[in-house]
Amino acid sequence: MPLGFRAQQKDLSAGFQLVARALPSRPSVPTLAGILVEAQASGLWLSATDLEVSLRVRVPASDLTPGRLVVPGHQTAELIRFLPEGEVAAEQADNSVLLRYARGQNQITTLDAQQFPAFPEPETGARITLDAQQWQALLKQVVIACGHDDVQPMFNGILWDLGPNRPLNLVATDTHRLAWWRVNCEVTVESEVRAVVPRRTVEIAARLAQGVEEGLSLTVGRQQVSIQGEGFLLLSRVIEGRYPNYEAVIPRELTTTVGVEVSVILEALERAAVLVREEDKTHANIVRLEIGSGVLIVSGRSSIGTLMEPVEARVVGEGGEVFFNVRYLLDGLKALPGSRASLGFNRDFSAAVLRPEGDEGYTYLVLPVIVRTG
């Protein structure tokens, strides 16, 4: 019997918009560019996959006639987004589906549902539950440091490092900077577990977590993670390989610490960022931080001019100067919780460690830029 259902436009659109995030950017076969629509006794389900990430979402619906079909993914999601509010009725024909709504109807040609991959079965393993705010914090504080490197895919994900009776460690690095967040949350684990979850998977999960009161549970299997909440299931392969020892790159001894108001230094750096935005990529985005007695001086120069701006600071230890990519500094400062930041430096100023002042639960490390003069 052909598939059929009735659903509210806002519910149908929300479901399609969510599941479309799992569509591949370059589908290897035409069917992968589609969204699978299934009417079952358990409800109306939408599914999409790029064979690395698979997402299944339930949509509130009534008058369900069991069946399955595949529609063009992005186009159908956009079409439904622009339908008028109210009820949408769907009815499957031979090679199409008819959508009826208040002021008209659309007929969409379907793809071959037999070619759509079966949805993977979730693996068992260690289980972690993060609430909606923690998923958003993960996006803001850790994902920012992920790489975009096809040569080193390990750095394109987030390390989930957990074990019995210790906090969850979430780590990301692109080799120029590193973000490390220690999270106290609900964890069920019998032994040490380390898994690298692709950045895209975490971004989708953070979007799914919005408006979910009970939070999302992530289960880490041997080759797969599953993220589950009421009405959806997200599955993803983990990135294989050995993640570097992130704790070893954090300087053990900080000989200089600089405490500043986050809002004040952010404003100074934002002004500097405008000035040092150069077409010459070898000199673009470089700012200098000069540490003095009770002051941190932000300066920069480019073909259009110069900037020097003192920021009141609480300085403990030796003074000095160091150069950074201003975008990396801005990302780290914007990620910090709290109103004050602590910038720590080792003796040779070979790294900067940013933390919320008085809180070591979050660490953002950024490497300096080597500037040769003369």
Side-chain angles (χ1 to χ4, degrees), residues 277-291:
R277 193 184 301 144
E278 288 269 26
E279 292 183 5
D280 180 359
K281 299 301 182 184
T282 60
H283 296 92
N285 298 323
I286 297 175
V287 296
R288 182 180 72 168
L289 299 185
E290 184 179 353
I291 302 162

Side-chain angles (χ1 to χ4, degrees), residues 57-130:
V57 175
R58 186 174 61 206
V59 174
S62 60
D63 294 345
L64 292 164
T65 300
R68 65 199 304 265
L69 56 85
V70 177
V71 293
H74 289 298
Q75 299 93 327
T76 305
E78 283 295 288
L79 174 64
I80 292 174
R81 185 164 72 92
F82 288 112
L83 291 182
E85 293 185 2
E87 187 177 77
V88 177
E91 181 180 338
Q92 183 178 8
D94 290 338
N95 296 303
S96 65
V97 59
L98 182 65
L99 301 180
R100 301 181 189 273
Y101 49 95
R103 295 197 296 271
Q105 64 184 39
N106 287 118
Q107 190 161 2
I108 301 171
T109 300
T110 56
L111 304 173
D112 186 359
Q114 297 298 321
Q115 298 297 317
F116 198 87
F119 200 85
E121 288 293 325
E123 295 179 358
T124 59
R127 185 171 179 176
I128 306 137
T129 301
L130 300 179

Side-chain angles (χ1 to χ4, degrees), residues 3 64 76 78 130 181 204 229 291 297 348 353:
L3 171 146
L64 292 164
T76 305
E78 283 295 288
L130 300 179
W181 183 31
I204 294 174
I291 302 162
I297 300 174
D348 58 1
V353 177

Side-chain angles (χ1 to χ4, degrees), residues 83-361:
L83 291 182
E85 293 185 2
E87 187 177 77
V88 177
E91 181 180 338
Q92 183 178 8
D94 290 338
N95 296 303
S96 65
V97 59
L98 182 65
L99 301 180
R100 301 181 189 273
Y101 49 95
R103 295 197 296 271
Q105 64 184 39
N106 287 118
Q107 190 161 2
I108 301 171
T109 300
T110 56
L111 304 173
D112 186 359
Q114 297 298 321
Q115 298 297 317
F116 198 87
F119 200 85
E121 288 293 325
E123 295 179 358
T124 59
R127 185 171 179 176
I128 306 137
T129 301
L130 300 179
D131 62 32
Q133 289 185 339
Q134 288 172 319
W135 279 103
Q136 302 313 311
L138 170 58
L139 198 63
K140 177 182 177 182
Q141 296 176 197
V142 182
V143 174
I144 55 167
C146 276
H148 298 77
D149 188 352
D150 293 336
V151 178
Q152 296 177 299
M154 177 63 61
F155 298 125
N156 298 343
I158 296 88
L159 173 67
W160 295 65
D161 180 8
L162 60 149
N165 304 315
R166 65 180 178 90
L168 166 66
N169 292 278
L170 296 167
V171 184
T173 182
D174 61 4
T175 73
H176 299 291
R177 37 108 175 248
L178 179 145
W180 175 13
W181 183 31
R182 278 167 285 187
V183 189
N184 290 309
C185 61
E186 183 182 333
V187 175
T188 304
V189 60
E190 297 179 355
S191 59
E192 300 295 315
V193 174
R194 288 167 65 95
V196 181
V197 181
R199 178 188 66 253
R200 180 163 170 258
T201 303
V202 173
E203 290 171 342
I204 294 174
R207 176 65 181 84
L208 291 168
Q210 293 178 359
V212 176
E213 295 181 0
E214 69 277 12
L216 305 186
S217 295
L218 180 143
T219 301
V220 183
R222 295 186 63 182
Q223 297 179 313
Q224 174 206 82
V225 294
S226 59
I227 303 171
Q228 192 163 6
E230 185 177 356
F232 59 83
L233 174 61
L234 174 64
L235 300 181
S236 171
R237 293 183 184 178
V238 297
I239 299 175
E240 297 183 0
R242 186 176 181 84
Y243 205 83
N245 183 358
Y246 58 91
E247 295 182 76
V249 305
I250 306 297
R252 292 183 178 275
E253 182 183 4
L254 300 176
T255 57
T256 300
T257 58
V258 181
V260 293
E261 285 286 340
V262 173
S263 60
V264 177
I265 191 171
L266 273 177
E267 290 176 1
L269 288 170
E270 290 282 16
R271 286 187 281 270
V274 174
L275 182 72
V276 300
R277 193 184 301 144
E278 288 269 26
E279 292 183 5
D280 180 359
K281 299 301 182 184
T282 60
H283 296 92
N285 298 323
I286 297 175
V287 296
R288 182 180 72 168
L289 299 185
E290 184 179 353
I291 302 162
S293 178
V295 67
L296 176 66
I297 300 174
V298 177
S299 61
R301 65 174 61 247
S302 71
S303 60
I304 65 170
T306 62
L307 173 143
M308 186 182 72
E309 189 166 331
V311 174
E312 183 179 345
R314 186 162 53 236
V315 178
V316 178
E318 304 169 1
E321 69 172 22
V322 61
F323 295 83
F324 291 102
N325 182 316
V326 68
R327 304 314 313 177
Y328 293 163
L329 284 178
L330 286 169
D331 285 347
L333 287 163
K334 290 176 181 178
L336 294 181
S339 61
R340 288 190 63 84
S342 171
L343 285 72
F345 302 90
N346 52 7
R347 189 171 301 280
D348 58 1
F349 286 84
S350 61
V353 177
L354 280 64
R355 292 186 174 117
E357 200 168 63
D359 178 8
E360 296 191 359

